[in-house]
Every structure is written in C-alpha cells, then in structure tokens.
Amino acid sequence: MMSQMPQPTALSRCPSCEEPLEAGDRFCGACGYDLSAVPEPPQDHPTIAMNGSSTRTSEAAASLDWPLAPEPASSDTPAPVHRATDIRGTDSGGSELPHPDTESPGAQRPGGHPSGAQPAGGQPSGVRFDRPPEPDEYPLAPPGEAPAGPVVDPRTADLGAPVTPPAGTKLCVACRSGQVDSDGYCENCGHAQPRERDHMEQELGAVAAVSDRGLRHHRNEDAFAISSTALPDGSPAVVAIVCDGVSSATRPDEASLAASRAAAEALLTALPLGTHPQQAMHEAILAASEAVNSLAEAPPAHEEHAPHQNAPACTLVGAVVTPALLIVGWVGDSRAYWVPVDRSSPPARLTEDDSWAAQMVAAGLMSEAQAYADERAHAITGWLGADAYELEPHTASFKPDRPGVVVVCTDGLWNYAEAAEEMAEVVPLDAAERPLHSAQVLVGHALDGGGHDNVTVAVVPFPAPPQGAGSA
C-alpha cells in the first residue's frame, strides 16, 4: 500500500500558482494543486551546444513559415527589415489576431493608442491622439454666474502662443511678453524700456534740433526747446534753447527740461513786445534759473527717503536769430558755434565755458590744450540751480555779414569737435537748407565717436528766413 501512495515532490514551487513548497508536500498549501500529478520533466535536449553548433533541429520550429530575408543586392545596401506586424499570430485562445490593416479606424489598443498610431519617440504610451479639440479660453465668471463662452484648460493651453495685451498697455521691447509698469520697467524681465526722451527730433522749417541719450548713459538728461515768433515790425525771430542736466545733481533731467521750457516761453513773450533780443535773452536765463530753483522744494516725505539728495542743476545755451542780429546767451559749458555757408570764411565759437579749464586759460596759467587735457577740465563753475554760487548770465550780440548756421549744442557733441574748425568740418555744406538733416549728422558724429554723453544739437540758419515768422 505504501508503494501506491504518491511520492513527495522535489519541486520547490507549485507549478500552478508558483507558491514556495517544502520537502514532503503532497498538495499546494495555496491553491490545493495535487503535486503527485506533476509529470516528469522532459529530458534535456539543448538546441545550442556549448561549442556553438546546433545539436538538433526543432520540428516545431521547422514547421513555422518564417519570412525569408533576401540577400542584399550589394554590400552597401542593408537587408530589408521585417516588422512584427508582418507576421500573423494567435491569441491565447487560439484565435487569429487582427491585422493592423483590417482594424477599425477608431479601435483603441490596450496600450492606449488608437489602432495604427504609433507613439512618437519619447512619448508615454498612455497619451491619446484622438482627443477632441479643446476650447481656447477659460474666462472667469463673476460669483454666482456661469462662465460665458468657451473654456480653456490652462494645463493644455499653448503657452508658446503670442499674448495680446489689453488695449493701452505696452509690451517690453526685450522679452516681447511682459507688460511695462508705470516706472518704465518690464514686469516680466525687469528690462528698462526706451523713454520718450531717449531720442527726440523736431523741425520748424527755420530751425531743427535732435537729442539722443548716447551710448553710455542710462537716460537722456539733455533737453531743448525751439520755436519762432515775430518782432513788432513783423520780421521773424527764431529761438533755440539747449540745456544739459548736471549728472551729479538730483533730477538733472527735470532741471534741463524745466529750464529749456521756461527760457523759450520768456523769449516768446518778450520778443513780440519789442524787448531787445539781448535783453530778452538775459531775462530768459533768469526765468530758467527760477524754474530750476523751484525743483529744489521737495516735499518732506521725499527728503526722508532721499537724505543725500541735492538741488537739481543744469547748464543752458540759447540763440535768437533775426534777419540782422544773432544773439547768444549761456551759463555753464554748453556752446554755440558760427559756421558760414562759404567755408572759405573762418568759423567761430561764440561762447566761453564756465569751467575750470576756461578759468585756467583766462588766467594765463595753462594753455588751452593743457587745460582741456586735465581731468578737471569739465568741472563747471557756473550753472542753473538753487546751490549755484552766483548766477552770472552771459549774453553776446553779433551782426554776421554773410549767411551761415548757428550750432547750439551740449558738450556731448563738442567733445568730438571742440575747435571751431573741427565743428565746421562735420557740419554738412547744405546745413542752411537742411537743418534737421544737419542736426542728425552731428548727433551721429558724436555717437560714432563713442557717445560717452548725452548729445543735443540745434541748427539755426542765419539770417532768419521770412517763412520763420509766426508762432510755433
């Protein structure tokens, strides 16, 4: 009887459920499988011998109709590749698997892809390619109301599409996506935006002016004002005012703007009343000084946040051109030059700087070349501002005997054409007919030279042409 009892199995795992077995087990403790019914394992007949040669050919393998790969036409041409979908197969029940070419277009494979659609390289297998189109926006509705219009899921929105800003907003010139705040900086990348005063041009027929920030300064601290009016006898009077903010002072850009506007307004008021142009220029400089002084009256809250601020300050140079007279006035180191149309006649500088270098030359202590080569050369000794030592407006009157142009400029230009002869070389020959083009050329000369400072220049033809009459 003992010989008829099932012998304990030597298996380590249940052939049915892979449950670990112990020696002497007759049944699987997990699934109850009868371990005595396990057939003996077949004899081992390896297909590949240890030396690499085949010891037998499997009859099952020989019966399969494997597609044969034809020999390549040449050694340089690779053999054609057979895909797995080229071979028919059966599922676990023995039924033939559907071929991809015969599947319905909308069928979904277990992997999540629609039939015939292969996942793109690197895409997860669960991505659906038959997703219906999504709406473009998800507008937020007011509380208690249903959202109107189509809704967009921000998770699937196209973040690369250009954003259209609301009407009236400015986009950053650097990143092209961030909005510009009230201080002139991008809210996205922080880039400072071009300001209106970075480059300014104006032409009034008988006079033109151009101002540029230059290549080194972060803002334009220069300003100009040009206009024309009529004298009591009906003859024209053309006005050009150029101011240069003192960078070491607080709010120099505001100082230059206030001074240029105040001086021009004073001249346009005095000249039609018959005030002599030289006297009108003197009074205009005083009016500009008062306008700059008023900027120093800052509110207490502003002073608390800027304890080291000083009074705004600027220089000023101006010209009044009539049919017979040329009047210039200045405080500081901005200049006016005379350049005749006939270049065989000598040009001239019409102003003397309020500067350390000019004082050294006037006192005979240094030559002009030595003084302007000194690092203290551009230290100004006169300016408009509440902390000026003593205001001394300079005015001069000339009666040129030939036509020409008056170049009214800041040191951002004359640093690159200091002598009158140098300035005359860069002034175009047709400056009297094309003042705006000439001003643009002069600013370009400074920028080509390095543009280390703000550059502002006004070009005024002399004598004032009749069409210059009338307020502008």
Side-chain angles (χ1 to χ4, degrees):
M1 294 291 296
M2 292 293 297
S3 61
Q4 297 178 358
M5 294 181 64
Q7 298 298 317
T9 179
L11 297 175
S12 61
R13 292 182 176 273
C14 174
S16 175
C17 66
E18 295 296 325
E19 177 74 12
L21 302 175
E22 295 182 2
D25 286 345
R26 298 190 180 110
F27 298 93
C28 174
C31 66
Y33 187 84
D34 185 0
L35 300 178
S36 62
V38 177
E40 294 183 3
Q43 296 182 355
D44 185 17
H45 296 286
T47 301
I48 303 298
M50 293 299 295
N51 60 7
S53 61
S54 176
T55 57
R56 72 178 184 93
T57 301
S58 171
E59 295 180 359
S63 63
L64 291 177
D65 185 16
W66 293 100
L68 298 178
E71 292 294 329
S74 65
S75 58
D76 296 335
T77 305
V81 178
H82 290 276
R83 300 173 300 173
T85 54
D86 295 335
I87 304 174
R88 300 279 180 165
T90 59
D91 59 17
S92 58
S95 302
E96 185 175 353
L97 292 173
H99 194 270
D101 294 338
T102 63
E103 292 179 358
S104 61
Q108 181 72 29
R109 291 189 178 177
H113 297 283
S115 62
Q118 299 297 324
Q123 284 185 315
S125 61
V127 176
R128 288 179 58 93
F129 292 88
D130 57 348
R131 185 188 302 275
E134 298 287 348
D136 295 332
E137 295 184 353
Y138 274 106
L140 297 178
E145 296 184 12
V151 180
V152 154
D153 185 350
R155 297 168 298 178
T156 59
D158 183 7
L159 299 180
V163 178
T164 302
T169 61
K170 295 182 179 180
L171 286 183
C172 174
V173 299
C175 68
R176 300 290 182 181
S177 60
Q179 296 186 16
V180 180
D181 61 19
S182 58
D183 294 331
Y185 292 87
C186 175
E187 296 177 345
N188 179 43
C189 67
H191 192 279
Q193 304 302 296
R195 298 172 174 86
E196 181 182 0
R197 290 176 61 179
D198 282 358
H199 185 87
M200 300 179 292
E201 297 184 1
Q202 187 177 6
E203 183 180 32
L204 297 176
V207 59
V210 176
S211 181
D212 193 272
R213 177 170 60 97
L215 305 179
R216 303 296 181 90
H217 280 235
H218 71 286
R219 64 181 175 184
N220 189 359
E221 297 170 354
D222 289 355
F224 68 81
I226 58 174
S227 187
S228 62
T229 186
L231 301 177
D233 62 357
S235 60
V238 181
V239 174
I241 302 293
V242 169
C243 296
D244 184 356
V246 178
S247 297
S248 59
T250 302
R251 295 179 290 161
D253 54 330
E254 297 181 26
S256 62
L257 184 62
S260 61
R261 289 177 173 176
E265 290 174 0
L267 287 168
L268 294 178
T269 300
L271 291 174
L273 298 178
T275 306
H276 189 280
Q278 190 168 358
Q279 178 63 31
M281 178 63 75
H282 182 91
E283 294 175 356
I285 295 176
L286 295 179
S289 177
E290 293 179 2
V292 177
N293 291 348
S294 65
L295 297 177
E297 302 174 1
H302 184 78
E303 294 179 354
E304 292 175 3
H305 290 86
H308 303 295
Q309 71 174 359
N310 52 15
C314 69
T315 67
L316 180 147
V317 62
V320 174
V321 172
T322 71
L325 283 179
L326 164 58
I327 308 297
V328 294
W330 73 96
V331 174
D333 62 349
S334 294
R335 295 180 177 181
Y337 291 82
W338 163 256
V339 180
V341 171
D342 180 6
R343 298 303 170 88
S344 63
S345 300
R349 196 177 91 192
L350 306 178
T351 58
E352 292 292 336
D353 299 341
D354 288 324
S355 67
W356 179 90
Q359 284 189 345
M360 294 298 102
V361 174
L365 300 177
M366 303 177 73
S367 68
E368 188 170 359
Q370 291 173 331
Y372 282 99
D374 193 283
E375 61 181 8
R376 297 166 290 181
H378 289 277
I380 58 176
T381 57
W383 62 88
L384 303 180
D387 58 355
Y389 299 126
E390 184 178 354
L391 178 60
E392 296 182 2
H394 310 290
T395 61
S397 178
F398 303 90
K399 289 185 177 181
D401 60 353
R402 65 201 65 199
V405 293
V406 184
V407 177
V408 186
C409 64
T410 62
D411 60 347
L413 171 61
W414 66 254
N415 278 331
Y416 301 98
E418 184 173 338
E421 293 75 16
E422 294 174 325
M423 183 64 70
E425 289 179 0
V426 296
V427 173
L429 296 176
D430 60 351
E433 289 77 29
R434 303 173 65 193
L436 177 59
H437 172 260
S438 299
Q440 293 168 337
V441 169
L442 293 172
V443 169
H445 175 74
L447 298 179
D448 291 341
H452 287 74
D453 199 356
N454 306 144
V455 189
T456 302
V457 56
V459 177
V460 191
F462 176 90
Q467 62 266 28
S471 180

